[in-house]
Amino acid sequence: MSIDGFPWQTFLLGDINILTSPHAQLNDTCINGCATLLYSAFLPNAASCAILSTHDLPRIRFNAEDDTLWRNLSWTRFWEKSIRILPIHRSLPVGHWVLCTIDFHSQQLFLFDSLAEQKPWRNDVKDITQLICRLSSLATQRLGTTHRDHGDWTAHPVLLEPRQTNGYDCGVWVLAQMAAVLRGYEVTGIEECNISRFRHYLCVLILRIAALG
C-alpha cells in the first residue's frame, strides 16, 4: 500500500503474524510499515516530522554513495522537516530496537531505549551525526538549501529507568515512542502492562488500510 507520500508498503502474512504474536520481536518490515501508518494516523501534526528507514543508518555505516542515499531519502523531503525520526537496530549482543529523534531547532538528539541503556549509544551517536552531515550536504548539492547541521549537537537519553522487562517488545516500544513524537510529545506514556494493547492497535491500523485497499 502507498499512503501520504510514502513508498509502497507490503505486509506479508508472516509480518502480520509477527505483529499478532504477543512474544515476537518485530522485523524491519513491521517497523517501517507501521511507521508509515502512524504518520498518516497523526497528520497534520506529524507533518513536521520526517520518518527515516531502519536501513538508513546502515547505509551510512557502509559508506553508501550519494545517489543511493538520495534515491532512498529524497521522498521524505527531510530538508523541510524540523524533526527526523530514526529507528535503529542493534544486532549485538542480541537483537534490539532503539529510536533517535533528531531535533534541528534545538540541535539535540533524543535517545530512546526501552531498556534505558546508555553506553551502546556512543557508536550510534557518531554515526547519526555523520548521517545528519551527509543529508545536509546532499540537500545543499541537489537543491541549493542552506546547511542545517551547523553548531554542536548534544545527545540526551529519554529514559533513565527501563520500561521493558522482557526480550521481545523493543520494536513495539520504538513504535510507541514514535507515535508520541509524531503527536508532539517527548516520551510515550505507555506502561509495560499496556504495551500489548499498542501492539493490537498496530494490527488494527494494518487491517483497516487493507480493508480500504
Side-chain angles (χ1 to χ4, degrees):
M1 67 193 76
S2 179
I3 187 169
D4 292 320
F6 281 76
W8 189 269
Q9 302 293 321
T10 301
F11 290 92
L12 300 178
L13 180 59
D15 304 317
I16 296 175
N17 287 340
I18 288 173
L19 275 165
T20 56
S21 171
H23 301 144
Q25 188 179 94
L26 304 192
N27 60 16
D28 289 277
T29 299
C30 294
I31 297 291
N32 294 323
C34 288
T36 299
L37 302 182
L38 290 171
Y39 179 89
S40 299
F42 297 125
L43 284 173
N45 193 74
S48 63
C49 301
I51 297 181
L52 307 186
S53 165
T54 60
H55 306 295
D56 291 326
L57 201 60
R59 290 188 180 104
I60 292 297
R61 288 169 171 161
F62 289 99
N63 298 312
E65 296 181 353
D66 285 352
D67 286 345
T68 300
L69 290 176
W70 186 254
R71 182 172 61 253
N72 286 282
L73 279 160
S74 58
W75 63 269
T76 67
R77 305 186 70 84
F78 61 85
W79 57 90
E80 298 177 351
K81 314 291 186 173
S82 59
I83 298 291
R84 298 174 195 172
I85 302 172
L86 177 66
I88 302 167
H89 185 257
R90 296 179 183 149
S91 57
L92 297 173
V94 295
H96 183 55
W97 290 103
V98 295
L99 188 77
C100 177
T101 300
I102 304 167
D103 187 330
F104 271 86
H105 285 325
S106 64
Q107 300 277 117
Q108 295 182 90
L109 306 178
F110 294 99
L111 314 175
F112 177 87
D113 181 348
S114 53
L115 298 179
E117 296 181 343
Q118 297 186 33
K119 186 177 180 179
W121 280 107
R122 293 177 182 175
N123 290 331
D124 291 330
V125 167
K126 180 181 177 181
D127 295 332
I128 292 165
T129 54
Q130 185 180 356
L131 172 65
I132 293 169
C133 292
R134 287 283 304 274
L135 295 189
S136 293
S137 295
L138 273 174
T140 299
Q141 295 168 10
R142 308 285 173 122
L143 302 171
T145 61
T146 303
H147 264 288
R148 298 181 61 193
D149 61 331
H150 56 81
D152 294 327
W153 285 77
T154 58
H156 309 275
V158 175
L159 297 179
L160 298 179
E161 298 292 335
R163 294 279 186 93
Q164 177 186 343
T165 60
N166 59 49
Y168 47 81
D169 273 332
C170 54
V172 184
W173 277 109
V174 158
L175 290 169
Q177 173 65 8
M178 190 181 296
V181 174
L182 290 170
R183 295 168 61 212
Y185 296 100
E186 183 177 319
V187 63
T188 178
I190 293 178
E191 299 294 338
E192 188 170 42
C193 60
N194 292 318
I195 198 67
S196 60
R197 295 183 181 180
F198 187 77
R199 186 188 281 259
H200 176 72
Y201 169 70
L202 296 172
C203 296
V204 170
L205 288 180
I206 294 173
L207 296 176
R208 184 182 300 164
I209 294 299
L212 292 175

